[in-house]
Every structure is written in structure tokens, then in C-alpha cells.
Amino acid sequence: DLQPEMSYSWEVGTDIKLFDNKTRLDFAYYSTKVDNQIVTVRVSPSSGYILQTRNEGAIRNHGIEFTLDQDIIKRKNFNWTMGLNFGLNRGTVVSLPEDVSEIYGAQYGDVHTTAYVGHSTTALSGKDYLRNAEGQVIVDENGYPKINPAKVYIGNREAKFQAGLNSTMNIYGVQFSFLFDGRFGGDVLNVTGRNLISSGNHSILEKYRGRQVVFDGVFETTDEAGNVVYLPNTKPITLNQTTITNYFSQISTNFIEDGSYIRLSYVTLGYDFAKLMKNQKFFKGLKLNFTCNNVFLLTKYTGTDPVCNASTSAKGTGSAGIDNSPIPSTRSYNISLSASF
């Protein structure tokens, strides 16, 4: 009973060049809607099956892309150009069949990559503490946090925006260029950190294991009139293995982190030696370049790198933003010699 998956898209933009082509501006807005998505979803085991391939409603992606290139200096022996790019995308589940409220993707412990109706196509669902209407964690009479028995929305892996800044400079044949890129927002699920804490191997345990702490939460009680009130928690608990296992590592929201970052992606320094070889017609160019990639990274993310993907072949909601014991990003140094004739 599968129906064809249909995609409808449109884009509008402008390409502007000013000041004798020294300023180049490109802007675009796009919108894409996909109806009758063909996806494989989990179904009730009572049906006799676990997975089923079927049409699952509609999604919409829309966003903007912006680039600006500017010639700062343009002379015979000195050229300097800088570029700025900016982009954002919003993916939303427009509709799903009546009996479906969300589409599950890959699973990591109790966490699913998922897509909710009316929400992002890159959401995450998992366990959280039990909270009151103000979002405060509710603790029991012994000071231990209560756990919500239901799986809830815990994060969105889609960045609020991404941007980059590049520069290319050529001074008497010496070429220098670099690229900064970054992302603001976008949650990362730190499965690696969760596994390390669960196995007792995380470095943070050296500081907190065996200590008494007062959990940041509230205790639910009633006043004289019988109204429910929440009082600040004052009872300490001991962070032993049982407490860490049952009340911290099992809670998915403890491992949702902000994936914002700024990275110096590369720095390149080079020189064209053909300029020194006068009165020769063999070489048109002889360039020697030295490049350092992944120079440094600024981020509050506690894992190795906020740019991660558990499986590049994952379908459905994908697995970008899942840090599941990947090979860390490396810094590399490259020397290249290129010749043109």
C-alpha cells in the first residue's frame, strides 16, 4: 500500500556585486516539503512484527544561506580577500498518521533519535527527572531525586545557526589563508561520557565519588490549608556507586550538552617559487604549501568533539549529534608541492 514519496521545493535569492565587483553578496531562502515519506518504523510487537516500512506523513525544511566576499586590498603585489558565510535550517514534522505521535530512529540505551509532530526532525527522547510546573526536580523524603517513568522530549540536535569566516592574503607571492567555522546551539548526546560513568572510569568520579551532596531540587509537601507547596531540598545524599548508577547515569538529560563551538579549521602558508625563476619558460607555477588542520577548538562540550555522528549511514532522523565512542578528531600537518607547466 506504499504511495510515492513526493517532494515540493522552491527557492528565492539574489546575487549582488558592488564597487567594481569588490563586494560580492549571495543570499537565498529555500523551502522544501516532503509528503508521504517512506520510512521504516517500529510497530507494536502484538502485530507479529517489529519494523514496518510505510508512508509516514510530511516534513518541511526551510532555511537561509548567506555569503559575503570582500576584497580588502587589491593591488599588483598585495591582495587580501575575506569571506563570511552564514546558514540555518529548520526541519519540522508537519503531520503523521493518526495513530503515530513520533517516529523513532536509532536507539542508544534508553535514548531514541526521534521526530515529534510539530517539533524538530532531529529531536531526542529519553529519561528525565520528575519535575514540577516550574521545571524543578522533585526529590523524595530522603533527598533522592524522583525519576519520570515516561520517556520525554530531552533535546534537539539541530543548530540554531552555523557560520564561517575565511581569509586569503597574497603578498609578493607569499600566500596565507585560514578558516574559522562555528555553530551556535544544537544538542549533543554524550553516550561516551555516560558509558564511562556507568563503568566507573570517568575522571569526574575522582572528584565526586564518596562525597555527600545536597541535590538541587524541591520536596513536595502541603501547607496548613492543604495546598501543595515545594520546599528547597536540604537533605544530603552520598555519591556512592549505587547512587551514581541509579540516580545519575540512568538519566538521559544528564548527558545532553550544548554543542556550540568555534574552530580554527586550517591555516595555510605557501609561496610560489616560480616568481624567483626568471627567464625560464618551463614552470608556470611552483607552489610550496604548509597546512595545519584542526588547529584549535573552543567549546564547553566535555567530550572530544561536538561535531560527531554515530553512523553516517543512519536513516530516518539520522545520528548526527550522537557521541558514541568515536575516533577523536586529529590535528594534521601537511606539506605539498604543486607544479603547473
Side-chain angles (χ1 to χ4, degrees), residues 131-203:
R131 301 176 183 269
N132 60 15
E134 284 72 35
Q136 297 170 308
V137 177
I138 302 173
V139 302
D140 61 21
E141 62 276 6
N142 297 315
Y144 290 92
K146 294 183 178 181
I147 300 173
N148 192 335
K151 294 184 67 174
V152 296
Y153 172 89
I154 61 173
N156 179 16
R157 293 167 289 146
E158 187 172 64
K160 293 183 178 179
F161 68 84
Q162 294 177 292
L165 176 68
N166 65 80
S167 174
T168 301
M169 188 179 298
N170 190 320
I171 305 176
Y172 290 93
V174 178
Q175 298 175 349
F176 175 74
S177 62
F178 65 82
L179 170 64
F180 281 98
D181 70 90
R183 178 180 72 192
F184 179 73
D187 292 323
V188 177
L189 173 63
N190 193 349
V191 181
T192 306
R194 187 176 197 171
N195 293 339
L196 290 172
I197 288 179
S198 299
S199 60
N201 293 319
H202 200 290
S203 60

Side-chain angles (χ1 to χ4, degrees), residues 38-56 96-97 99-115 125 151 315-317:
I38 300 176
V39 295
T40 300
V41 297
R42 296 179 180 271
V43 295
S44 173
S46 62
S47 65
Y49 301 91
I50 298 176
L51 302 174
Q52 183 183 43
T53 300
R54 61 187 189 184
N55 295 111
E56 288 292 329
L96 291 174
D99 60 333
V100 179
S101 61
E102 61 179 306
I103 298 177
Y104 282 143
Q107 182 176 359
Y108 304 90
D110 65 293
V111 180
H112 276 97
T113 58
T114 186
S125 65
K151 294 184 67 174
K315 299 180 181 179
T317 60

Side-chain angles (χ1 to χ4, degrees), residues 58-70:
I59 66 169
R60 178 175 179 244
N61 278 290
H62 65 104
I64 61 174
E65 296 175 345
F66 169 85
T67 61
L68 172 64
D69 292 309
Q70 177 66 50

Side-chain angles (χ1 to χ4, degrees), residues 40 105-106 108 113 157 308-322:
T40 300
Y108 304 90
T113 58
R157 293 167 289 146
C308 50
N309 195 330
S311 173
T312 56
S313 62
K315 299 180 181 179
T317 60
S319 59
I322 308 295

Side-chain angles (χ1 to χ4, degrees), residues 228-242:
V228 176
V229 294
Y230 295 98
L231 302 177
N233 175 41
T234 58
K235 292 189 176 182
I237 60 176
T238 301
L239 293 180
N240 53 29
Q241 181 180 357
T242 301

